[in-house]
Amino acid sequence: MGRKIGYARVSTNEQELDLQIDALIREGCDQSLVFKDRTSGAKSTRLGLDQCLDVLEPGDTLIVWRLDRLGRSMSHLINLIESLIERNIGFKSIQDGAIDTTTASSEC
């Protein structure tokens, strides 16, 4: 079984990442494997996300607090998740509980 790797993002420097990070750790992510960004989701370049995607290996699971923390748009989100599946990497959104590619019930 692979690692659980987390990604957290807030849009401004005034916002805190603590809620997301705490939730990711409760889901089993090691704090050293929680990648973070403090930038608008609309930005095409997010260093934390890029680092996170580079670290993921087949068998790992990417966990986010909510879908809107990951994708810039619906099409970007779909492309990201499809690329994870192609790489044999699971995906789970904590707050959007029905979205979990690591369980048999996620296959339609």
Side-chain angles (χ1 to χ4, degrees):
M1 186 159 149
R3 305 168 295 170
K4 293 182 178 181
I5 297 178
Y7 175 70
R9 182 186 62 77
V10 291
S11 298
T12 67
N13 286 328
E14 291 77 33
Q15 295 174 314
E16 292 298 325
L17 288 161
D18 297 345
L19 173 72
Q20 293 177 52
I21 293 170
D22 291 345
L24 293 168
I25 291 170
R26 279 193 306 275
E27 284 293 317
C29 297
D30 185 286
Q31 189 159 3
S32 67
L33 293 174
V34 174
F35 296 85
K36 306 168 226 42
D37 278 316
R38 289 185 179 273
T39 187
S40 168
K43 299 269 185 180
S44 61
T45 302
R46 291 184 269 162
L47 183 59
L49 179 59
D50 292 343
Q51 292 172 338
C52 179
L53 295 173
D54 286 345
V55 166
L56 287 162
E57 298 175 351
D60 289 345
T61 300
L62 172 59
I63 303 175
V64 297
W65 184 60
R66 270 190 355 217
L67 289 173
D68 66 349
R69 303 296 83 200
L70 182 62
R72 294 189 315 264
S73 64
M74 184 59 78
S75 61
H76 180 245
L77 182 62
I78 290 168
N79 288 336
L80 273 174
I81 294 172
E82 284 179 343
S83 72
L84 293 173
I85 292 169
E86 289 171 2
R87 293 173 55 195
N88 195 29
I89 296 168
F91 174 76
K92 181 176 182 181
S93 172
I94 297 169
Q95 293 294 309
D96 307 296
I99 302 182
D100 182 350
T101 66
T102 66
T103 64
S105 63
S106 66
E107 295 181 24
C108 299

